[in-house]
Amino acid sequence: MLKQFLLVSAICFATQTSAKLDTLPEEFSDFSLDRDITISYDDLDMLLDMTVIDLGRSDRRFRKSKANIGTRMRAHKNNDTALEANRFFYEEVTTSKLKEGFHKVRVSLEKVPDQVPLNALVLDEQLAYWLNLYTTALLEKLIEHYPVIDTQELLFGEQSILDEEFIHVAGYQLSLNDIQHNIVFKKFGKNKPIVMYGFHQGNIGSPNLRKEAYKGSEVYHQLVENGEEFVNSNRGMQVRGNNKLYLSLYYKQVEALFDDYENQLKNHIEDYTEGDLKNSVELADNFQLSIDDWGINDLYRTERTFGASTATNRAALLNAVASASGDVGVGAVNSSYISDAFMERTVEFGRFPPEVWEKLKQLNTKRKENRGSVKIKDLDTNQE
């Protein structure tokens, strides 16, 4: 194991140029059994905690349709999903120093393989790393393009942010789709479709944006929480009429995770459905992929009054969020305090605790001691 670590270290540090990811390279495909090396995400934890509003589990309520004064257009067309999904302070973040924080954290995460090769980490640590890098990079891009109301074109149009290769890891230039489909799904998704719930897409209709970073020791527990929340929400699954099962269009994007797509996906939904709906889901003969909500999960702008010059009252909306989430005081967030508190701290701190750094130092010393050259000489065939 030590020799493998040292060999990979030499390869990793020798890489200087960025290459496109065509196949899963050795740097990303291997793994270690040594659980002593863990990555810290204190900076990302703090950033997400300050910018994400947790609405809690869906109670499957529908929001009453209500026309705004002076316009026939509703602020949010999906009244069945309007009260669901965690929200993000896009409007506040884009006008504060916080937007720099996501960029700095993303760049800091890109540098992790310069400190320790990814394949020197156990699989859970690697999975948490990729999910955190994806989440940070996605939010950075959404902040860059904000304001946006509908995310569908931004995600799947000709200039899709999911295809943009702006992430650089261990000498490879990656897109968000590379991380999701070419790395995580291929490496971690076999027989574990739960990984699909780690890819929030900036809209209400996608898996939840967590209020914390993924941790190697907790990552599968966190993904199960995401899966349970999503399946048991209106935006994930609905049963209508005579046990007619309707599922999110998001499940179309993860078809590669299932060998027998229709049967395995339905079984997956059955496993995660809770309460009174479980029996109805089990009795459904088939399902239809038709649920979507491309509205950005911004706390304010999703409630913008179209056709008018002002937004709906922010205090009223925050109170509504507090009521939906059950979190006392959630409406009292001070965005200027958020900016100052975070930017007073640097994200350039080490991602490995001192004891891990000491181990890495010892391994690097050992690598230098073992470094050498081997000369091969042809045998003298004339000797008896």
Side-chain angles (χ1 to χ4, degrees):
M1 185 62 64
L2 177 60
K3 290 182 178 179
Q4 181 184 21
F5 176 88
L6 297 176
L7 175 60
V8 173
S9 297
I11 295 174
C12 179
F13 285 106
T15 304
Q16 298 295 330
T17 58
S18 293
K20 290 188 177 182
L21 188 70
D22 296 322
T23 59
L24 199 61
E26 183 182 3
E27 295 94 320
F28 300 160
S29 60
D30 290 343
F31 63 95
S32 171
L33 298 177
D34 185 353
R35 289 192 170 273
D36 289 343
I37 303 177
T38 59
I39 303 176
S40 170
Y41 299 103
D42 289 348
D43 52 350
L44 184 56
D45 265 335
M46 183 178 181
L47 197 52
L48 292 174
D49 182 61
M50 292 187 299
T51 57
V52 177
I53 295 294
D54 187 351
L55 290 187
R57 296 285 290 270
S58 168
D59 58 7
R60 292 192 177 276
R61 282 188 302 164
F62 281 44
R63 190 181 66 173
K64 293 181 180 179
S65 178
K66 188 176 180 180
N68 291 311
I69 298 175
T71 177
R72 294 180 179 271
M73 299 180 67
R74 293 197 301 270
H76 195 287
K77 68 177 182 179
N78 302 77
N79 285 306
D80 53 346
T81 58
L83 298 177
E84 298 184 341
N86 291 350
R87 301 305 170 97
F88 186 82
F89 281 101
Y90 281 105
E91 192 161 352
E92 300 297 335
V93 170
T94 54
T95 57
S96 72
K97 296 178 182 178
L98 277 175
K99 62 183 177 181
E100 302 171 17
F102 285 95
H103 172 73
K104 288 183 177 180
V105 172
R106 190 259 297 177
V107 172
S108 175
L109 290 175
E110 289 178 336
K111 294 177 180 178
V112 167
D114 297 336
Q115 301 167 336
V116 56
L118 293 180
N119 52 13
L121 304 173
V122 295
L123 286 173
D124 292 357
E125 283 292 333
Q126 291 185 38
L127 177 57
Y129 169 80
W130 288 118
L131 293 180
N132 287 329
L133 178 58
Y134 175 96
T135 299
T136 307
L138 174 77
L139 291 173
E140 180 188 358
K141 277 297 167 185
L142 290 170
I143 291 167
E144 178 183 318
H145 286 271
Y146 189 87
V148 58
I149 304 298
D150 189 296
T151 62
Q152 187 171 16
E153 180 66 21
L154 190 61
L155 295 173
F156 301 104
E158 293 183 1
Q159 303 295 324
S160 170
I161 62 172
L162 300 180
D163 290 328
E164 185 178 345
E165 296 175 337
F166 67 100
I167 305 165
H168 302 273
V169 179
Y172 292 89
Q173 56 188 65
L174 308 174
S175 67
L176 291 166
N177 272 335
D178 280 329
I179 294 176
Q180 180 175 1
H181 297 281
N182 295 331
I183 297 177
V184 173
F185 280 9
K186 288 182 178 179
K187 182 171 183 176
F188 305 94
K190 187 174 180 58
N191 300 321
K192 289 186 178 180
I194 192 68
V195 298
M196 75 175 92
Y197 297 112
F199 294 96
H200 173 69
Q201 294 184 330
N203 53 61
I204 294 173
S206 66
N208 239 345
L209 173 63
R210 294 187 67 87
K211 196 175 172 65
E212 62 182 2
Y214 291 96
K215 312 294 192 308
S217 60
E218 305 172 21
V219 62
Y220 281 105
H221 174 73
Q222 292 172 306
L223 289 171
V224 168
E225 282 186 343
N226 286 7
E228 291 173 345
E229 188 281 329
F230 189 72
V231 171
N232 292 283
S233 69
N234 284 330
R235 69 189 198 284
M237 178 270 294
Q238 296 180 25
V239 177
R240 307 171 191 164
N242 188 22
N243 292 336
K244 292 183 178 179
L245 181 61
Y246 295 83
L247 301 179
S248 168
L249 279 174
Y250 177 74
Y251 287 115
K252 183 63 178 176
Q253 299 178 43
V254 301
E255 188 171 352
L257 294 175
F258 301 94
D259 295 328
D260 183 1
Y261 179 63
E262 293 191 4
N263 289 328
Q264 289 182 339
L265 177 56
K266 185 173 183 296
N267 290 337
H268 171 81
I269 299 299
E270 290 178 12
D271 289 342
Y272 280 81
T273 303
E274 302 170 349
D276 298 337
L277 283 178
K278 192 172 185 67
N279 186 56
S280 298
V281 172
E282 292 173 349
L283 292 175
D285 294 329
N286 50 42
F287 59 82
Q288 179 178 329
L289 300 176
S290 60
I291 303 174
D292 68 353
D293 190 335
W294 301 104
I296 192 168
N297 64 319
D298 182 17
L299 182 59
Y300 300 135
R301 192 164 289 277
T302 47
E303 300 296 324
R304 181 72 67 187
T305 303
F306 293 88
S309 59
T310 59
T312 52
N313 184 278
R314 294 184 176 186
L317 179 58
L318 279 169
N319 289 336
V321 171
S323 176
S325 67
D327 293 335
V328 178
V330 72
V333 176
N334 186 313
S335 61
S336 62
Y337 169 75
I338 287 175
S339 302
D340 295 340
F342 180 77
M343 295 312 295
E344 284 176 0
R345 294 184 55 179
T346 175
V347 296
E348 296 301 328
F349 64 94
R351 294 199 176 275
F352 302 97
E355 60 273 16
V356 173
W357 271 119
E358 184 61 29
K359 181 173 184 176
L360 294 175
K361 182 179 178 181
Q362 293 172 2
L363 289 172
N364 188 49
T365 301
K366 190 70 174 178
R367 176 179 66 84
K368 292 179 179 179
E369 291 175 354
N370 289 329
R371 181 182 295 167
S373 59
V374 177
K375 294 183 179 180
I376 301 177
K377 294 179 63 177
D378 291 333
L379 293 177
D380 188 348
T381 56
N382 294 324
Q383 293 181 356
E384 294 184 1

